[in-house]
Amino acid sequence: MLSPAVLPSPVAELPDPGPELAAAGVTLRLKRDDLIHPTVPGNKWRKLTPNLRAAADLGHARLLTFGGAWSHHIAAVAAAAAAQGFASTGVIRGDELARAPRNPVLAAAEAAGMELVFADRTTYRATLRALDEPATRARLEERFGRCYVLPEGGSNALAARGAAEIPRELPDLGPQDVVCVPVGTGGTLAGIAAGLPPGATALGVAVLRGGEGYLEGEVTRLQRAAFGRDFANWRVAHTHHGGGYGRIPPELAAFAEEFERRHALPIERRYVAKALHCLNDLATAGTFPRGTRLTAVITGPPDAP
Ligand SMILES: *Cc1c(COP(=O)(O)O)cnc(C)c1O
């Protein structure tokens, strides 16, 4: 499904992790999931491939999903559907966008063959809240035909199982390890934590504001759905969203530029930079015991300039 995939994704050790991490006595390596696939990168590949297989097994010809105007998930579903021969429909939040010029994400999705449908925010939210109810499914099928429905961000039980492969590609994890990942909807964190061996822990960094409680509930719900139980080896930091999704305050921008200079590696800003920034600040604050090995999952490539 969806080849070529670079698997296992490369692990890059950072010989010079920077003054803050060095002073804290911790090391940092990067799990380069951004390199997995050119158009369905990172955690989107991890989460979508099990779903594509399920959709094919169930005889579906169309994928239907939901997202905001800048959603990486929408772009990934459009590309994955095109590559695997599915038709696709994207329900986009915000009916005012129907008449506006397409931004690069939506333009690329349309160019890949995705049908875009714009929903006002109230309808969009109500549909997602009741997505698993038979009445909602019936209404969607009536409008769009028989389709394989992926929730917003693509986070469902199969997605969490796909993400559980990430720690399995990291040999010799143990009590000295913290695996860190940015969190949008929580599906990737749910899977990573479930896939860790005893002793190792996962740290999620929320990129949206105001997710305290809600995100933890989502991760727990997804773990129960995917693995039949929840796990206690993870937590979510709510301190580094930078003011909200897509907000890049000057301090974060400066950190990201410095990181890029030091490691000669461009980094994605909405998710990846926030997670790395959080690791840096937590290390400075003495949160990690000396000798901790941090692994940051690079969940996606930088946005096209
Ligand atoms: C979509 C996305 C995430 C969020 O993943 P969730 O499973 O929704 O938490 C993280 N990083 C990048 C780069 C993404 O595109």
Side-chain angles (χ1 to χ4, degrees):
M1 256 304 153
L2 215 58
S3 47
V6 181
L7 286 180
S9 67
V11 177
E13 311 278 347
L14 297 183
D16 167 22
E20 294 88 358
L21 298 186
V26 305
T27 61
L28 174 62
R29 57 184 188 168
L30 309 179
K31 177 70 170 149
R32 295 290 309 275
D33 266 21
D34 55 311
L35 300 177
I36 289 181
H37 191 276
T39 55
V40 187
N43 67 339
K44 301 304 182 279
W45 192 96
R46 303 279 187 186
K47 291 162 67 171
L48 277 173
T49 40
N51 278 289
L52 295 171
R53 214 169 287 129
D57 289 347
L58 293 166
H60 283 282
R62 176 176 295 274
L63 310 179
L64 174 79
T65 194
F66 302 82
W70 294 95
S71 166
H72 292 162
H73 168 67
I74 287 287
V77 171
Q84 296 299 128
F86 293 100
S88 65
T89 301
V91 179
I92 309 300
R93 183 181 61 236
D95 53 347
E96 76 283 357
L97 296 168
R99 289 164 309 278
R102 300 285 190 255
N103 71 29
V105 173
L106 297 183
E110 259 181 344
M114 179 178 262
E115 172 198 16
L116 298 182
V117 176
F118 296 88
D120 69 79
R121 284 170 167 71
T122 308
T123 307
Y124 181 91
R125 233 172 278 140
T127 304
L128 280 186
R129 238 194 326 264
L131 192 58
D132 289 330
E133 286 172 23
T136 310
R137 294 301 171 109
R139 220 171 342 100
L140 290 173
E141 300 230 332
E142 195 179 314
R143 172 148 183 211
F144 300 109
R146 188 167 178 265
C147 45
Y148 185 86
V149 178
L150 285 157
E152 191 176 44
S155 285
N156 57 15
L158 286 176
R161 282 191 222 150
E165 296 300 317
I166 297 171
R168 301 205 175 104
E169 293 176 11
L170 294 166
D172 69 39
L173 289 175
Q176 79 283 10
D177 283 288
V178 177
V179 178
C180 176
V181 65
V183 174
T185 58
T188 310
L189 174 62
I192 287 175
L196 288 174
T201 58
L203 170 69
V205 177
V207 307
L208 285 93
R209 191 166 57 148
E212 291 90 344
Y214 171 77
L215 275 180
E216 286 81 356
E218 280 296 289
V219 172
T220 300
R221 177 183 71 79
L222 286 161
Q223 288 183 331
R224 287 180 185 153
F227 310 103
R229 55 168 285 212
D230 55 10
F231 294 77
N233 59 353
W234 57 274
R235 69 181 181 95
V236 179
H238 293 277
T239 48
H240 283 72
H241 51 66
Y245 182 72
R247 298 274 174 88
I248 317 290
E251 193 197 341
L252 174 61
F255 168 82
E257 282 159 29
E258 170 65 20
F259 187 94
E260 290 179 326
R261 252 196 313 275
R262 179 177 305 278
H263 303 296
L265 177 73
I267 54 171
E268 191 274 344
R269 291 295 194 275
R270 290 165 202 274
Y271 293 93
V272 174
K274 290 181 179 181
L276 292 168
H277 191 215
C278 183
L279 282 182
N280 215 61
D281 284 354
L282 290 180
T284 303
T287 306
F288 306 115
R290 297 187 81 79
T292 297
R293 175 170 61 177
L294 303 170
T295 304
V297 181
I298 308 301
T299 42
D303 290 317

